[in-house]
Amino acid sequence: MSADEASGMGPLVARLSRGGQRLRQADRAHSWVLDTTVVVLVFLMFCLPDLLHGGAGDGDGPRRFRLAFTLLPPAATLVLQAGLVLPLLWRRRRPMAAFGTIAAVFALQWSLGAALRADVALFIALYSLALHGRPRQLPWACGIMAAGMVLVAVRASAAVSHWDALFFLLSTATAALALGLMVRTRRAQLAGLRERAARLEIERDQRSRLATATERTRVAREMHDIVGHNLAIMITLADAGVYATDAAPERGKEALQLIGDTGRTALGELRRVLGVLREASDGPSVMPELSPQPDLMDIEALCDGVRTAGLDIVYRTAGDLGALDGGMQLTVYRIVQEALTNSLKHAGAGTRVKLSVAVEDVRLVIRVRDDGPTERPGSRNEEGHGLVGMRERVALYGGNVSAGPATGGGWAVEATLDMTPRAGAR
């Protein structure tokens, strides 16, 4: 087949497929239409000629063929035809009952020695049983069918060789059975493919929702750290500025400047976090200029900003911190930021804080301890969002975090991260 012919077959196949789909939908909505159509076609093609010409054993056939079968009256012929054809109306809903009824009428007809073209209904019923019936019913149906074919071959032995007749009849029955099983298998395969496609679509939607939820959690965690930390500093500075306005106006002015600087810093970090989302939604053509993620080098600046709010911070490091990757450095920065924010909110200005970030063998340990009160709001009943966020960040590196009253007074936060290279990491 040439390329032009193949391209021309494409629309034809598509139209045939759409037409078949519409027919299947119409059949599911009005199944009685197809069943009635089959009965009408069988009557017109196979029953009406027998009524007009006196039966399959009459007409222009060989004389020995005409003499081998009994010629029934039109009324008896019509009754037998009705018994053969009408059960086809329920061949899909009750295939075994339809097949059994037609087989009984078929046996009665041939016991009378009559030959009718409507006997084709038995093969249609066998096809329908193979397609719609239970598989365990097929052996019984095949046995009944074989017995009926033997009966026909014996009765027709006066006209044709019973071996030839038996071969033809059994071949026809086998073809009807095989066609029904083939269509049934094909439909089962298509149903399996549709189910698999639907399942894959559901799994794809679930993965998409999980990815969306994960991204929302990450953004919410980042925004909580940024907003919570900077607002805590701004509130502390604002309170200090109120008291300093009367006693030392210059200190009040300095506090306002620090509030402005802190607000601009928070706004810049929020734009950086939300800019990532905007970049993903607007496409690769929009590339906002983003500042880099904070790392260990920014912790000193973080401490300076918190010191302006009134905390006395002592910051120490130990070990080779330069070997940490960017993701771990961001995690350390956010944990320190959250711990200092909690100390600022719950312990207040004038609190002394000891901060250390140390590499111990294959572990990175972050310790934050203040000398403030041991009772913190919500510490007894439930964990705050900050501690939950710290646990989620540390879990990414196979670590753990603890927060609670320190020995000798104050509050302590300790987080441990595993520095062992993870599988698949480069």
Side-chain angles (χ1 to χ4, degrees):
M1 179 182 296
S2 64
D4 294 338
E5 293 175 343
S7 61
M9 289 293 290
L12 176 61
V13 172
R15 284 194 295 270
L16 290 176
S17 177
R18 289 193 295 269
Q21 185 176 2
R22 285 194 292 268
L23 287 177
R24 287 191 295 270
Q25 292 175 351
D27 181 49
R28 284 193 292 268
H30 308 285
S31 59
W32 61 271
V33 175
L34 179 60
D35 296 333
T36 304
T37 302
V38 171
V39 171
V40 171
L41 289 177
V42 171
F43 177 79
L44 294 176
M45 295 176 62
F46 300 100
C47 297
L48 194 59
D50 286 346
L51 293 175
L52 295 178
H53 301 292
D58 196 15
D60 300 330
R63 185 172 180 273
R64 62 173 184 170
F65 187 78
R66 296 198 302 271
L67 296 177
F69 301 106
T70 301
L71 184 62
L72 297 177
T77 299
L78 185 60
V79 170
L80 290 175
Q81 287 178 343
L84 291 170
V85 175
L86 290 181
L88 294 179
L89 289 172
W90 65 82
R91 65 185 178 87
R92 293 192 291 178
R93 297 187 300 274
R94 308 294 289 268
M96 190 61 190
F99 177 81
T101 303
I102 294 174
V105 177
F106 180 85
L108 174 62
Q109 168 210 321
W110 281 97
S111 64
L112 298 175
L116 297 176
R117 293 180 176 87
D119 290 340
V120 71
L122 184 63
F123 298 100
I124 298 176
L126 180 62
Y127 162 82
S128 299
L129 181 61
L131 178 57
H132 303 289
R134 298 190 182 96
R136 58 186 177 86
Q137 296 173 339
L138 288 179
W140 296 98
C142 291
I144 295 173
M145 194 74 178
M149 298 303 98
V150 170
L151 175 62
V152 174
V154 171
R155 298 292 297 186
S157 60
V160 295
S161 169
H162 62 277
W163 292 111
D164 293 341
L166 189 62
F167 175 78
F168 172 76
L169 294 172
L170 291 179
S171 299
T172 306
T174 302
L177 179 65
L179 181 61
L181 292 175
M182 182 188 70
V183 175
R184 181 177 189 147
T185 302
R186 179 62 176 171
R187 288 184 179 179
Q189 291 175 344
L190 292 176
L193 291 175
R194 285 193 292 268
E195 181 181 358
R196 183 171 182 269
R199 187 169 61 252
L200 290 176
E201 185 175 357
I202 293 174
E203 292 176 357
R204 182 199 63 190
D205 294 340
Q206 290 176 341
R207 287 194 298 268
S208 177
R209 286 194 293 268
L210 286 175
T212 301
T214 301
E215 183 64 16
R216 286 177 177 174
T217 301
R218 185 191 68 81
V219 173
R221 188 168 58 227
E222 289 286 323
M223 293 183 67
H224 170 270
D225 293 341
I226 295 170
V227 175
H229 170 75
N230 290 284
L231 281 181
I233 294 178
M234 293 169 69
I235 291 171
T236 303
L237 291 173
D239 291 339
V242 170
Y243 292 108
T245 301
D246 297 330
E250 291 299 326
R251 296 287 295 175
K253 180 179 179 182
E254 182 181 354
L256 291 176
Q257 291 175 343
L258 291 173
I259 291 173
D261 293 339
T262 304
R264 281 187 289 271
T265 301
L267 184 60
E269 290 198 50
L270 287 176
R271 284 176 176 172
R272 173 180 51 76
V273 173
L274 298 178
V276 176
L277 300 179
R278 191 178 303 115
E279 177 186 353
S281 61
D282 292 344
S285 60
V286 180
M287 296 296 292
E289 295 183 2
L290 305 176
S291 59
Q293 294 274 32
D295 54 20
L296 294 179
M297 299 298 294
D298 297 303
I299 293 181
E300 188 63 47
L302 174 66
C303 293
D304 291 338
V306 178
R307 288 190 185 101
T308 60
L311 290 185
D312 181 12
I313 302 176
V314 178
Y315 174 43
R316 292 187 177 91
T317 61
D320 184 14
L321 299 178
L324 303 181
D325 59 38
M328 184 172 290
Q329 292 193 35
L330 174 61
T331 298
V332 173
Y333 180 89
R334 292 304 185 199
I335 292 174
V336 171
Q337 184 183 52
E338 180 61 29
L340 294 179
T341 302
N342 288 337
S343 296
L344 183 61
K345 289 193 298 183
H346 302 307
T351 302
R352 184 177 179 84
V353 180
K354 294 181 179 180
L355 167 62
S356 66
V357 179
V359 175
E360 300 177 359
D361 196 12
V362 294
R363 299 186 309 158
L364 177 66
V365 182
I366 308 162
R367 295 184 178 92
V368 183
R369 178 175 176 175
D370 62 51
D371 57 3
T374 57
E375 292 295 329
R376 303 286 169 96
S379 60
R380 290 185 176 182
N381 300 327
E382 61 181 7
E383 296 179 348
H385 294 288
L387 185 55
V388 172
M390 284 193 286
R391 292 191 189 282
E392 291 176 351
R393 291 182 184 277
V394 170
L396 296 176
Y397 292 92
N400 55 76
V401 62
S402 62
T407 304
W411 191 266
V413 175
E414 181 173 330
T416 303
L417 285 71
D418 186 5
M419 297 177 58
T420 304
R422 291 167 291 170
R426 297 186 176 209

